[in-house]
């Protein structure tokens, strides 16, 4: 991509900076690799948490975060809620019923926690959810978080 503001980082977004073994897709037609099986054909990739990625890029807030990260969304969203990272809009696909081992209750708990954090659920289509943080809460969080040096 030749847009100067657009930067590609060859890392996986996760709850912590580490590495993750990604296994080939369960369904080859679908094509999504995931970190939730231990097949010998797994690839090891570096991961970074959202706060670190923001710091590396000099960002103090996010306008739009789109998560379709094959089950890792539960831990990533848990971290962004705990740290109160200022994110205006979150679009997330929950993977209960798609990837073995994830239950609808996990998504329900996160949806409830998003509401407690001030987010409004704007839309739900299947496992895809759109949340919006009202301007007054977003601006307050942005004023608390300072851009790192």
């Amino acid at each position: 991509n030749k847009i100067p503001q657009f930067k590609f980082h060859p890392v996986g977004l996760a709850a912590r900076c580490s590495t993750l073994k990604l296994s080939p897709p369960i369904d080859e037609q679908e094509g999504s690799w995931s970190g939730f099986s231990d097949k010998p054909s797994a690839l090891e990739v570096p991961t970074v948490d959202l706060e670190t990625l923001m710091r590396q890029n000099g960002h103090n807030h996010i306008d739009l975060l789109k998560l379709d990260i094959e089950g890792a969304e539960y831990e990533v969203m848990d971290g962004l809620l705990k740290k109160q990272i200022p994110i205006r809009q979150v679009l997330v696909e929950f993977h209960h019923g798609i990837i073995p081992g994830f239950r609808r209750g996990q998504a329900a708990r996160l949806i409830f926690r998003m509401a407690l954090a001030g987010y409004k659920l704007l839309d739900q289509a299947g496992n895809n959810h759109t949340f919006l943080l009202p301007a007054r809460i977003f601006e307050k969080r942005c004023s608390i978080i300072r851009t790192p040096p």
Side-chain angles (χ1 to χ4, degrees), residues 2-147:
K2 304 222 187 270
I3 300 170
Q5 297 89 346
F6 189 85
K7 297 176 186 172
F8 173 74
H9 298 276
V11 297
L13 183 62
R16 67 194 69 65
C17 297
S18 184
T19 58
L20 178 67
K21 285 189 177 182
L22 293 177
S23 295
I26 295 169
D27 175 4
E28 287 187 29
Q29 297 293 332
E30 194 273 333
S32 295
W33 289 61
S34 67
F36 303 100
S37 72
D38 211 12
K39 294 181 181 177
S41 55
L43 298 174
E44 194 164 326
V45 299
T47 62
V48 65
D49 64 85
L50 189 57
E51 194 173 41
T52 299
L53 193 57
M54 289 174 67
R55 186 172 46 252
Q56 289 172 348
N57 287 282
H59 297 157
N60 69 345
H61 71 278
I62 296 175
D63 293 314
L64 174 67
L65 178 65
K66 168 84 167 80
L67 296 173
D68 184 357
I69 51 178
E70 309 313 309
E73 66 275 4
Y74 299 98
E75 286 187 350
V76 169
M77 289 186 64
D78 185 53
L80 71 87
L81 287 169
K82 283 181 183 174
K83 295 175 183 178
Q84 295 187 340
I85 296 172
I87 303 172
R88 179 77 166 126
Q89 191 170 1
V90 179
L91 288 71
V92 59
E93 179 182 22
F94 292 112
H95 284 82
H96 60 275
I98 299 172
I99 296 177
F102 293 102
R103 299 187 178 184
R104 177 172 285 155
Q106 289 172 278
R109 280 188 293 280
L110 270 172
I111 292 166
F112 181 70
R113 290 185 57 220
M114 292 288 282
L116 288 176
Y119 283 91
K120 306 294 181 202
L121 179 61
L122 297 182
D123 188 52
Q124 176 185 355
N127 286 20
N128 296 298
H129 296 71
T130 301
F131 298 92
L132 180 68
L133 190 62
R136 68 187 188 318
I137 300 172
F138 177 70
E139 290 165 8
K140 182 177 179 182
R141 288 188 188 165
C142 286
S143 68
I144 295 169
I145 307 290
R146 301 285 182 230
T147 304

